[in-house]
Amino acid sequence: MADTIALIGNPNTGKSSLFNSLTSTHAHVGNWSGVTVDKKLGKLKGANTTVIDLPGVYSLDPLAKDEAVVADYLMHNEPNLILNITNANQLKRNLMLSLDILELGYPVILVLNMIDSLHRTGRQYNLSILKDNLGCKIIATNARGHYGIKDLRNEIVKRGDFKEGPLKIAYPEIVQQAIRQVARDLVKKFGFTLQKATWLSIQYMNKNKYVRKYAESHHLTPLLEQTEYYDRQDFNNKILTRRLEFINKLLAEAVERVNGVNDIEISNQIDRVVTNPILGVLIFILILFLMFKLSFDWVGTPLSDYFDSFISGPLSNTFDNWLIQVGAIPALRSLIVNGIIAGVGGILAFIPQIFMLFACIAILEDTGYMARAALTMDRLMQVFGLNGKAFIPLIIGFGCNATGVMATRTIEQPKERLVTTLIMPFMSCSARLPIYALVTAAVFPQNQALIMLGLYLLGIFVALFMAKVYEVLFKVKENSTFVIEMPDYHVPRLDVLFHSTWENGKGFIKKAGTIIFAGTVFIWLLSNFGPAGFITNSSGSFAAIIGRCLVPIFAPIGITSWQIISSLFTGVLAKEVITSSMMVMFHTSSQAVLVANLTQFISPTTGLALLTFILLYSPCTATLATVKQETGSNKWMIYSLLSSTLIAYIVAFIVFKLSSLII
């Protein structure tokens, strides 16, 4: 049986970077049994050893689903080795989790990651003192610079010189006596090892919610019978106080001064600006604007134009000529050239814009700014009944709403988690970008970035407004505790940026070969077949019939083109399909030709209403399925579909009427 190594640490300690450095590139993600929290598995390079990257947690006392996974794993599994990843520059705080792990008694290597950040403060730790007091191996690393990775891998393979038994902290005698007594009873009555029984006792007395729930479900009477006594005697505070004393004494002995440049003050000065309640929000908006300028004006769009000219020109013509030569029937030629190439190819032409946007987001994450943005927005979101813990899933929702909904698992309060899930579809995901680009190019060619910024801000405003409405309706009285680690500022690494951009962007390409392909064929069938069978004039197609029937409904928001209306309904399948549907409806594989066609049907006021409706209406099927999975209810999935579409219509109507007065 292969050995197992578990990676455990606080968030933002570089745990994922270490995981990637230690494992092969064939790591895979799945779900823990019984919960919808991701687990990441990989193979240690050069060894038959499974590496498990557990969710980042601050303690083994869980608040959210992902934190409970770590406590559950340690309760029911015995890894051959635990890598406890810490931020060397924040070791005092990180060691609180380390003590929980070391008291369990499994072999542990304490990894002092980000050691370069510690050295820049003019400090270092005497590793021998740390090792002697903690009873585990200590390895200093810098995962970003690959420093110490080889030593860590060698230590993992060697696995020698580990201190036997768990770490023993000298708790007050009243606590020690209670631990010894209840541990003996657990061993005698329930068959636990003394090591496990002692750890259970300490965690139970320390009010670990998972352990207390475990004790109740397994009827561990030696613990349950003494609960009132432990709480009355304030055992948890006695344990916490002694742990802090242990950590302070240890670090005072181990810290050493070295020559270095203390950049903490520079970092603090930057933070005072970017996290300022007013300046911070303005800076965040400015950064979004620059992202859109790069994606739609300066870099992304010019590259997309070159890509589009190739697909709609040489590629499309080559296939059309080849099909003529082989004698393909007109219907097949139309399907391949006007359906598949026009639809799927038209979507792929937007790859440069999509990847440029993901690259910008990767830069914000790798520099350390994104955590500051969450802290800045925390103050604003509290006004609407949320906090910074909800901001992280909402930001993830800019990439993909379905992924953002899954990220709400970190929110421990059920009602707040539900509210965040319901407002997630208002975050403008990357799938909407192609249709935004087409409409803005047709109506607002000189102000694409500004319109994009306005759409994103409108989505955020609607989401926060609805969050306040839901706070009142659901009577949300408690909010989740928002704790975030402030990572050091970094110069972005090209390999990290490339990996992050590719991982986020490749899903867009996958959709082109699956959902978008299927949607393109479906819309081609609707637009090329009618009651009379195969037709060459799409005005007599099923798509035209459906679109014309719905014109009275969409006319109040200025949309009267049946081609556009029919395309909107395919967006429920996937938002990218709206663009491919329009390519098929207007019989073109060229963005430029489609833009020219759209200018005939869309005025500036109609364009604003259309963009607003696309921004807010029904989540795609993947997001709806995720809502059902996370809430465990068809009711909330259906509600999300209907409510978002109704809200989209109302807001689009308001935008259409207001813009008609202004423009």
Side-chain angles (χ1 to χ4, degrees), residues 23 96 201 371:
T23 60
M96 292 301 291
S201 303

PDB file of all heavy atoms in Angstrom, residues 23 96 201 371:
ATOM      1  N   THR A  23       4.816  17.330  -6.363  1.00  0.00           N
ATOM      2  CA  THR A  23       4.071  16.284  -7.075  1.00  0.00           C
ATOM      3  C   THR A  23       4.255  16.390  -8.579  1.00  0.00           C
ATOM      4  O   THR A  23       4.755  17.384  -9.101  1.00  0.00           O
ATOM      5  CB  THR A  23       2.570  16.364  -6.752  1.00  0.00           C
ATOM      6  OG1 THR A  23       2.068  17.638  -7.157  1.00  0.00           O
ATOM      7  CG2 THR A  23       2.338  16.191  -5.268  1.00  0.00           C
ATOM      8  N   MET A  96      -0.164  27.918  16.304  1.00  0.00           N
ATOM      9  CA  MET A  96      -1.348  27.462  17.031  1.00  0.00           C
ATOM     10  C   MET A  96      -1.921  26.209  16.372  1.00  0.00           C
ATOM     11  O   MET A  96      -2.314  25.252  17.054  1.00  0.00           O
ATOM     12  CB  MET A  96      -2.401  28.569  17.070  1.00  0.00           C
ATOM     13  CG  MET A  96      -2.016  29.772  17.913  1.00  0.00           C
ATOM     14  SD  MET A  96      -1.699  29.345  19.654  1.00  0.00           S
ATOM     15  CE  MET A  96      -3.336  28.912  20.195  1.00  0.00           C
ATOM     16  N   SER A 201      -9.152  14.213  24.300  1.00  0.00           N
ATOM     17  CA  SER A 201      -9.448  14.870  25.576  1.00  0.00           C
ATOM     18  C   SER A 201      -9.071  16.345  25.528  1.00  0.00           C
ATOM     19  O   SER A 201      -9.845  17.215  25.955  1.00  0.00           O
ATOM     20  CB  SER A 201      -8.690  14.173  26.707  1.00  0.00           C
ATOM     21  OG  SER A 201      -9.015  12.802  26.762  1.00  0.00           O
ATOM     22  N   ALA A 371      -5.987  39.928  -1.769  1.00  0.00           N
ATOM     23  CA  ALA A 371      -6.359  39.865  -0.348  1.00  0.00           C
ATOM     24  C   ALA A 371      -6.679  41.264   0.173  1.00  0.00           C
ATOM     25  O   ALA A 371      -7.595  41.443   0.985  1.00  0.00           O
ATOM     26  CB  ALA A 371      -5.233  39.238   0.463  1.00  0.00           C
TER      27      ALA A 371
END
